[in-house]
Each structure stands twice: as C-alpha cells, then as structure tokens.
C-alpha cells in the first residue's frame, strides 16, 4: 500500500494532535491466546498492548517502517499495504478512502496479523476487501499466473505480440498470446525487477532492478548479455530506448536520470540530477530529439544532450507514468492525484484533465491509432478513455488488487494489465468498446459480455510464509463470520452514515504505497533511512479502543447534527449544529474545515474520551 503520499496531505503528527496519545500502563495485559486461524470477531475490543515478540517496542512480524516526505509509514509486507498509524491492537490503520470498500476498516490482531472489519456485513476477515463486481461485468479473455510477487512492468514484443513481465519475485518472463510461457524465467540475481523496455526490433530487452543495476537480455535465448551495468545508487524504476536505439535512459530512486550506450553498457553523459525526488517515468519523444521525466516534482522536458527545456506544472502530486503522441506534439501523464492529463509539448500548456479513478493513476498507454488512452490505477481498475470526447468508455476492467502496469498490444487488439495480485489480465479492447456502444444504444445495463477463457496457471515460486513464532499457517486465508449480537438500531444508523469519514485527512490525498519489505523488494514510495524500533507508550485503561458500531445514543446525536445542517443551510462549517451538545460536537479547526477538490466539503467532529472523530459531507448536497 499502497493507497501514496502527497505534500498537501495532513501529516501523521497533525492527526495525532487531534487525539490523546497512549500512555504507559503498569504492565502489559496478557490476553488468552486463541486460534489465529480466525480473525477477532466483529465488535472485539483490544487494549493497545501488542502480544507479538517485542511487544509495543517492536513492529509485528513481517512489517517494516520507512520515511516518506518527513512522515513515518508502516507496511505489512504480506499484504503490501501501508499505514501512517503505528500498528497496535485497537488502532485503526487505514484512513478513509484508502480501502476500496468504504464500509471496511483495517486493524491488527494482538498477535500481529492484519485483519479487516466489514461494518456492512458485520464480519471480519484476513483478506483485503475487493470492489463489488457488477453482474455481467466484462471478464478478461485470459488470466496468466506464474509470478509469485507483485508484477511491476509489462511490455509487448511487436512481431509476435508476446507479452513480457517483470516482478518483485526477481524474474522476467515471456508469455504467448494464449498464456503459455516461452522458455524459462530470466533471473539476473538483482532482486525485484522494477522496469523493462524492449528494443524496437525485439532482439533485446533491458531491465532495471532494486540493486540499482541495469541488465541487457537476449530475447530469443533468455540469457543476459555481458555484465550488469552499474551507476545508480538505488532501485531503477523506469527505462526507455531512444527511437534510434543508440541509447537507453533510466530513472532511479536515487533521483538521477542516466543515459547508457547499449553496446558497451557505459554511461554516455554525466547523470542528470532532477528536482523530482524519485524518477518514476522517462520517455523519449518519437522524433528522438528530446525526452521527458516524471516524479515528485513537475514534468521535465529535456533536450537529447540533457539540457532542461521546460518544466510542466499542474499535477497536485507525483507523476507516475508518461507517454508521447506519435507526432511529438502532446504529452500524456498519470499521477498520484488520481488524474491523467494531456499537455502541449512545446510550451507545457495543459489541454485536458481526465478524472474518474478513485485512487492514484499508476500507468497509462495509448492505442496504436491514438483514439483511446488506457489507464491503470490502485483502485483495482483499468479504464479506457475516448480522446475525441474525453470521456471514459465501457465499464472499468476490474482486478483483484491494485493495478501497477498496463500496455497495449502492437496490433491494438488487446490490453494487458498486472499488479499486486501477481496475475496478468488480458482484455479485448473490441469487447470493451462494443460493450460501451451496446450500453449507450439502449441506455440500460444489458451489456454484452464475453466468458473468460481458460485460466493459464503456472506453479509460482514457493512461499513458506509465517515465522518460527507463528508457524506456516500464520498467513493462511480464513474469514471469521461470527457477528456481534444484533443491535436494534445501530446497523440501520450506520447505513445512514455510510459516507461518514472518520478523519480530517484529505480524501483525495494519495494513499500510502509501499515497498521495501525484504532486502530485494522493490519500493513503491520514496523512503529514507529505516529504523527498526520506535518507543511507543503502552495504553492505559482509558485508552481502550473498540471496533464496535456506535451506540443508539451516539448515532441519534450524529443524525440530529446532520439533520440540523440540512435543515439550516445558513449554518457555517465552523458553527455547531442546532441542538448538538457543545461537549460532544466540536468544529474541526479552520485549516481542516474545508477541503478543495472541485467541491467544498463541510466537516464536523465528535470528541469522546480524548479521541477525535470527524465526518464530512459534500457542499453540493446542501439544500
């Protein structure tokens, strides 16, 4: 998690200032251990006392922490999901909007395993929530499985239309259109492979790994050519061949762009130190006279000899993906700010902003005829957009987890997408467009669908999981459907407040996006030095936090506040709603009252026992 940081987001320290910090208790409470094969039941309450090895002074098993823009983030390396809140029992780990299901929350059991609370079904589960698939939604023509970790990059071979994939499992693989693997996987020993780029004649492939090295491969033989190329001081995140194939550009977490001679593996010019933090994307223009780069700052346009020509500003957060139009007149960019945009290349003028994804846009690509652009997001979806109308066409193409890469086949017939769920999904562009046309013709949900073709499954690399303390079944998939005793009205009240957001953090702020869980794991987010432990105070009895739904009295008070705001449109965001008790309802401080994201949002808060909860509603809903 991935949910990715923005300088505009509220820091963990600011949020922590809105709630009481835990204090030390005389001694940890030793809860009787039950089977970790099932998550804690719905409504379970936990003291903030960790029972894993090291207790509150250590992170749970298979977690790590890192610094992002002066904030500490904590990542569960098993689920690849990160939190701004330190993992302790009783502490909610997600911010509203981080999970694809707004009815779910992320917590951790006293023994250190992440689980999810679903307030709609009143159940708990070890599994991350998934988006609901509408009946009759388009299915992929093929699902290819074989990698054993997140897939970071995809590329098509032009002649055969075979697809190449690189993964955090350290391998590169080639697949035929029917999903059959071509030869054995390629493993250069550099750990997770973050990026690959294919030579224009398909004869060679260049890859970049977390060890900071580039490697050149013979496509036909699947063998490495020569020794790895050394130069970067951190993981390589992006690669591109120049149109004349005389040089390769690479971007890295070390903040540099380097250009290489593919024949010698040597750098052809001094590295470019861009003011973009991590370099997430680099692309040569089709004419080869310039290249562009993207990262945490503006989009930079460089001359072929490395001189900065212009900076393109407009995105509200980091740029993750870039591509050019064939004539070199336009640049397209995808960003953590949930948008992708079209720019005029000569002067950087913003021409189009496309919105529709509910989370960060990680990858974009154009169809060969440049009529459509395809985008992949960590909201678990791939979407297709008509560049004539600047509208999304067809239904979102849904994955089972965050999508990190998308490419278009050279013949324009297929879309390949992949991500954290370790699978490659192959979609028919024709089917997606046909579905859009049928849906638009009759205006209803009776859309044509295509049954999925047989799934191609390859045996992944074994993953022992678990630990000596918890055993190999520690990360088995189990759900706990034991519900809490039914309440006469709490569930109904919760349904009415399904859109309440218990945070003052901007909901359009990018979600955390990991990763450096093992020595050779690829990072999703900028990281600084990692420290193993942080002093965390133990909890007093009054710091006990539960996951139970609100009581009838609390729900009634919240409803009274909402109804009063709806009835009296003259009530200002900073004023108390009529009839609300001053000791219970507080206005959120001025700097967090209104969030801008196209529409103003009105926020209110509830403080109880030193803990602050806030909720918001869109100003467009006011009467």
């Amino acid at each position: 998690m991935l949910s990715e940081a923005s300088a505009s987001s509220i820091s963990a320290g600011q949020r922590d200032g809105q709630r009481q910090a835990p204090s030390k208790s005389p001694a940890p409470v030793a809860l009787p251990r039950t089977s970790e094969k099932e998550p804690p039941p719905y409504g379970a309450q936990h003291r903030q006392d960790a029972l894993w090895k090291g207790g509150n002074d250590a992170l749970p098993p298979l977690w790590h922490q890192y610094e992002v823009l002066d904030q500490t983030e904590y990542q569960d390396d098993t689920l690849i999901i990160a939190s701004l809140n330190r993992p302790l029992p009783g502490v909610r780990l997600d911010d509203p909007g981080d999970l694809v299901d707004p009815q779910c929350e992320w917590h951790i059991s006293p023994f250190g395993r992440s689980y999810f609370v679903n307030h709609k079904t009143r159940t708990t589960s070890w599994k991350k929530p998934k988006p609901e698939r509408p009946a009759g939604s388009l299915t992929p023509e093929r699902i290819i499985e074989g990698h054993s970790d997140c897939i970071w990059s995809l590329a098509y071979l032009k002649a055969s239309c075979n697809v190449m994939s690189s993964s955090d499992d350290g391998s590169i693989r080639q697949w035929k259109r029917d999903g059959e693997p071509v030869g054995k996987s390629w493993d250069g020993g550099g750990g997770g492979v973050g990026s690959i780029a294919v030579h224009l004649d398909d004869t060679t492939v260049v890859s970049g790994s977390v060890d900071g090295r580039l490697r050149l491969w013979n496509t036909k033989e699947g063998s490495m050519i020569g020794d790895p190329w050394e130069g970067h001081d951190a993981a390589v995140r992006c690669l591109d061949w120049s149109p004349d194939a005389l040089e390769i550009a690479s971007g890295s977490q070390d903040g540099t762009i380097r250009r290489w001679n593919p024949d010698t593996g040597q750098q052809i010019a001094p590295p470019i130190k861009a003011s973009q933090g991590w370099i997430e994307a680099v692309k040569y223009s089709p004419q080869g006279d310039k290249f562009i780069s993207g990262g945490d700052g503006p989009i930079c346009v460089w001359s072929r000899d490395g001189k900065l020509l212009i900076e393109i500003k407009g995105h509200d957060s980091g740029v993750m993906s870039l591509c050019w139009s064939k004539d070199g007149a336009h640049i397209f960019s995808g960003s953590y700010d949930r948008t992708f945009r079209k720019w005029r290349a000569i002067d950087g003028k913003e021409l189009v902003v496309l919105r529709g994804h509910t989370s960060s846009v990680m990858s974009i690509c154009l169809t060969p005829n440049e009529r459509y652009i395809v985008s992949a997001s960590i909201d678990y979806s791939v979407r297709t957009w008509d560049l004539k109308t600047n509208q999304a066409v067809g239904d979102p193409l849904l994955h089972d987890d965050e999508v990190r890469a998308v490419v278009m086949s050279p013949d324009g017939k297929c879309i390949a997408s992949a991500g954290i769920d370790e699978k490659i999904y192959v979609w028919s562009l024709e089917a997606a467009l046909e579905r859009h046309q049928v849906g638009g013709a009759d205006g209803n949900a009776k859309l044509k669908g295509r049954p999925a073709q047989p799934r191609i499954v390859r045996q992944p690399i074994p993953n022992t999981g678990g630990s000596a303390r918890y055993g190999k079944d520690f990360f088995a998939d189990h759900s706990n459907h034991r519900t809490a005793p039914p309440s006469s009205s709490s569930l109904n009240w919760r349904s009415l407040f399904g859109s309440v957001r218990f945070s003052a953090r901007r909901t359009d702020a990018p979600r955390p996006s990991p990763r450096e869980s093992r020595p050779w794991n690829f990072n999703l987010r900028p990281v600084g030095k990692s420290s193993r432990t942080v002093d965390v105070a133990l909890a007093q009895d009054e710091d006990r936090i539960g996951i139970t739904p609100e009581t009838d009295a609390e729900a009634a008070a919240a409803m009274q506040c909402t109804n009063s705001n709806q009835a009296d449109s003259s009530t200002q965001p900073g004023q108390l709603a009529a009839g609300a008790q001053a000791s219970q309802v507080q206005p959120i401080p001025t700097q967090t009252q209104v969030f801008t994201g196209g529409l103003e949002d009105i926020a209110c808060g509830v403080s109880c026992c030193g803990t602050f909860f806030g909720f918001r509603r869109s100003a467009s809903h006011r009467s």
Side-chain angles (χ1 to χ4, degrees):
M1 41 137 137
L2 25 7
S3 114
E4 286 107 21
S6 169
S8 60
S9 64
I10 296 176
S11 69
Q14 287 175 297
R15 289 200 317 275
D16 288 343
Q18 297 174 345
R19 59 183 179 232
Q20 185 180 18
S23 57
K24 288 189 177 181
S25 57
V29 177
L31 299 178
R33 180 176 180 182
T34 58
S35 173
E36 276 287 302
K37 292 184 178 180
E38 292 185 352
Y42 183 82
Q45 297 186 10
H46 306 298
R47 286 275 302 268
Q48 291 180 10
D49 296 323
L51 300 183
W52 53 78
K53 185 177 182 180
N56 284 25
D57 293 330
L59 294 178
L62 299 182
W63 280 67
H64 79 283
Q65 69 184 57
Y66 51 91
E67 301 299 320
V68 180
L69 300 178
D70 299 324
Q71 296 184 109
T72 301
E73 295 195 7
Y74 307 91
Q75 179 180 312
D76 182 334
D77 296 323
T78 303
L79 298 179
I80 314 181
I81 183 171
S83 174
L84 291 173
N85 300 322
R86 185 176 177 86
L88 288 173
V91 175
R92 179 175 178 179
L93 299 180
D94 65 295
D95 279 318
D98 285 352
L99 302 178
V100 293
D101 188 340
Q103 296 287 341
C104 292
E105 295 180 7
W106 175 26
H107 291 264
I108 191 166
S109 73
F111 291 97
R113 184 172 176 182
S114 291
Y115 70 100
F116 301 88
V117 178
N118 190 318
H119 291 299
K120 183 177 181 180
T121 61
R122 300 169 67 82
T123 60
T124 59
S125 175
W126 297 125
K127 298 180 180 180
K128 283 197 293 186
K130 299 179 182 180
E132 293 185 5
R133 293 181 179 271
S137 60
L138 189 67
T139 55
E141 288 200 334
R142 188 159 287 103
I143 298 177
I144 304 173
E145 297 185 48
H147 284 292
S148 61
D149 214 327
C150 176
I151 299 172
W152 294 113
S153 184
L154 296 171
Y156 266 106
L157 300 178
K158 295 179 178 60
S160 62
C161 281
N162 289 352
V163 65
M164 306 286 302
S165 58
S166 70
S167 168
D168 207 16
D169 63 16
S171 71
I172 302 169
R173 306 193 70 165
Q174 182 181 166
W175 313 88
K176 295 181 180 179
R177 300 192 69 161
D178 61 4
E180 289 292 332
V182 178
K184 297 181 179 180
S185 62
W186 309 351
D187 187 351
V193 184
S195 183
I196 52 175
V198 179
H199 190 284
L200 297 179
D201 63 7
D202 291 348
T203 56
T204 54
V205 175
V206 63
S207 67
S209 302
V210 298
D211 64 357
R213 297 181 175 93
L214 278 67
R215 292 168 173 81
L216 194 66
W217 303 85
N218 181 301
T219 306
K220 184 177 181 180
E221 297 178 1
S223 58
M224 191 165 62
I225 302 173
D227 296 324
W229 307 349
E230 298 189 4
H232 283 295
D233 297 325
V236 178
R237 301 186 68 84
C238 52
L239 295 164
D240 195 36
W241 288 82
S242 63
D244 56 14
L246 295 180
E247 66 183 58
I248 295 169
S250 61
S252 167
Q253 289 177 196
D254 63 13
T256 66
I257 302 168
R258 299 173 187 258
R259 289 160 293 157
W260 310 79
N261 182 328
D263 294 328
T264 65
Q266 300 297 314
Q267 296 183 57
I268 61 176
I272 299 172
K273 183 65 176 179
S275 59
Q276 298 173 305
W278 286 10
I279 307 300
E280 302 282 3
V282 61
K283 286 290 181 182
Y284 284 94
S285 67
Q287 293 71 32
D289 59 337
K290 60 179 70 75
F291 61 92
I292 52 178
S293 64
D296 291 333
I299 300 168
C300 294
V301 182
W302 310 87
S303 65
R304 180 74 176 251
D305 59 3
K307 295 180 180 179
L308 181 61
L309 301 178
I310 59 172
E311 291 185 340
I312 301 176
K313 300 179 180 179
H315 280 294
D316 297 327
S317 191
V319 174
M320 300 302 298
S321 184
L322 294 166
C323 63
W324 290 84
S325 60
K326 289 181 179 179
D327 59 7
H330 299 109
I331 297 168
F332 299 87
S333 60
S335 169
Y336 270 128
D337 67 9
R338 307 183 182 188
T339 71
F340 61 98
R341 307 183 185 217
K342 180 180 180 181
W343 315 84
R344 193 162 60 195
I346 191 170
D347 58 4
K349 180 181 179 181
E350 183 180 274
L351 302 177
V352 178
V353 179
L354 294 175
R355 307 178 190 273
H357 284 291
T358 60
S359 198
S360 306
V361 178
M362 305 303 293
S363 182
I364 56 174
C365 64
L366 285 165
T367 57
N369 62 7
E370 299 191 343
R371 170 68 186 275
Y372 303 99
I373 190 168
V374 183
S375 58
S377 169
I378 61 175
D379 65 7
Y380 294 37
S381 74
V382 174
R383 305 196 71 168
T384 306
W385 308 77
D386 189 329
L387 291 178
K388 288 187 176 180
T389 64
N390 295 323
Q391 299 293 323
V393 294
D395 298 332
L397 309 177
L398 298 179
H399 276 243
D400 290 331
D401 212 322
E402 300 172 7
V403 191
R404 297 288 171 173
V406 65
V407 290
M408 196 77 207
S409 64
D411 58 11
K413 294 181 179 180
C414 296
I415 301 167
S417 54
I420 290 181
D421 61 9
E422 307 167 6
K423 308 168 188 174
I424 302 171
Y425 291 57
V426 181
W427 311 86
S428 166
L429 177 62
E430 179 186 1
L433 299 179
E434 181 182 64
R435 173 174 289 258
H436 171 69
Q437 294 165 358
V438 172
D442 57 17
N444 58 37
K446 295 180 180 179
L447 306 176
K448 290 184 179 180
R450 294 190 176 188
Q453 297 296 319
R455 175 178 298 195
I456 306 298
V457 180
R458 302 296 159 206
Q459 188 66 30
I461 299 173
N463 185 354
T464 58
S467 66
R469 178 178 175 84
Y470 295 97
K472 293 186 177 181
D473 65 342
F474 183 73
F475 293 105
D477 290 327
H478 298 281
S479 297
N480 184 351
H481 295 281
R482 292 178 292 167
T483 62
S487 172
S488 57
S489 59
S490 294
L491 184 59
N492 293 332
W493 283 115
R494 182 169 296 280
S495 298
L496 291 174
F497 290 93
S499 62
V500 171
R501 299 188 179 275
F502 297 94
S503 176
R505 183 187 181 190
R506 286 175 58 124
T507 55
D508 62 347
R511 61 187 287 183
S513 167
R515 134 152 189 137
E516 191 178 83
S517 56
R518 297 185 297 273
W520 292 131
N521 273 15
F522 198 69
N523 291 292
L524 301 181
R525 290 290 302 282
V527 299
K529 61 182 181 180
S530 176
S531 56
R532 293 298 178 185
T533 61
V534 169
D535 292 334
V536 177
L538 299 178
Q540 295 282 9
D541 289 343
E542 57 268 25
D543 294 319
R544 187 187 299 267
I545 297 177
I547 318 165
T548 55
E550 66 270 29
T551 65
D552 294 350
E554 291 169 344
M559 175 57 77
Q560 184 178 7
C561 174
T562 302
N563 290 340
S564 299
N565 285 339
Q566 292 175 342
D568 183 10
S569 60
S570 65
T571 301
Q572 298 301 314
Q575 296 176 341
L576 293 176
Q581 297 181 12
S583 62
Q584 293 180 329
V585 181
Q586 305 171 359
I588 296 176
T590 303
Q591 66 269 24
T592 58
Q593 282 180 5
V594 178
F595 306 102
T596 57
L599 294 175
E600 287 187 342
D601 295 331
I602 297 177
C604 295
V606 178
S607 180
C608 178
C609 301
T611 301
F612 179 85
F613 300 92
F615 68 88
R616 53 175 286 192
R617 63 187 180 89
S618 174
S620 62
H621 294 166
R622 287 181 287 179
S623 55

